[in-house]
Amino acid sequence: MTRGASAGLLLAAGGGSRLGAPKALVELDGERLVDRGVRLLREGGCHPVVVVLGAADAQVRGAVVVRNPDWRTGMGSSLRTGLAALPGDAERVVIALADQPSIGPRAVLRLVEAARLGASVAVATYAGRRRNPVLVAREHFAEVAGLAVGDTGARAFLRAHPELVVEVPCDDVGDPADIDTPGDLAAWRRRRG
């Protein structure tokens, strides 16, 4: 797989129960998390970018928005919804989460480059731990979707096929910390201030 399109998929459907508001609409430095995630994927070379929304309803420039009516069941249903919405010419997808605003586009670029070098599955690592984003080739979409249940996204597929996974170190191009609580949000703002 040396040619073809790399689509982006941003999972942004959650209600943010611990945060007290849908994460997609939270603003950091005047930019909503959903817009920041779209920018991450586009600057990382992904086109088109599909955004899965659920708890929040929003217009998102530069992306195709799809709604997950089952968003309350967890990330798995959002991943399935997003994979089903990808165009047929997308040979691979880079999957990112809206609540990790400190991941940089160079992490996405590194995953896409790993695919160009032959990887069909690539995962960003930080301090040796697998996190996001994750790249998956089309040939695996059906199995990834089939294993995505509850609040499990692509993790079950990655565990089932360790021989496929290419780990891509991204320590120097971002921080995978989630914004899950008001404390996380306050800490992120302090670090930026």
Side-chain angles (χ1 to χ4, degrees), residues 99-100 102-103 126 131-132 174-178:
D99 67 354
Q100 295 179 314
S102 296
I103 292 176
Y126 306 84
R131 297 292 302 266
N132 291 297
D175 177 349
D178 303 275

Side-chain angles (χ1 to χ4, degrees), residues 37-129:
V38 168
R39 182 169 52 81
L40 163 78
L41 290 165
R42 289 180 64 85
E43 290 179 4
C46 297
H47 182 77
V49 174
V50 172
V51 174
V52 181
L53 292 178
D57 196 16
Q59 297 291 319
V60 183
R61 289 188 321 166
V64 176
V65 175
V66 295
R67 293 205 41 83
N68 174 14
D70 299 321
W71 64 269
R72 286 181 182 84
T73 65
M75 186 188 315
S77 64
S78 290
L79 180 54
R80 291 192 308 273
T81 298
L83 289 172
L86 293 173
D89 64 346
E91 290 192 10
R92 63 191 73 87
V93 64
V94 177
I95 305 160
L97 307 180
D99 67 354
Q100 295 179 314
S102 296
I103 292 176
R106 285 175 44 205
V108 177
L109 286 165
R110 287 180 183 175
L111 295 179
V112 171
E113 181 59 22
R116 288 190 182 120
L117 294 174
S120 67
V121 179
V123 180
T125 64
Y126 306 84
R129 294 187 60 219

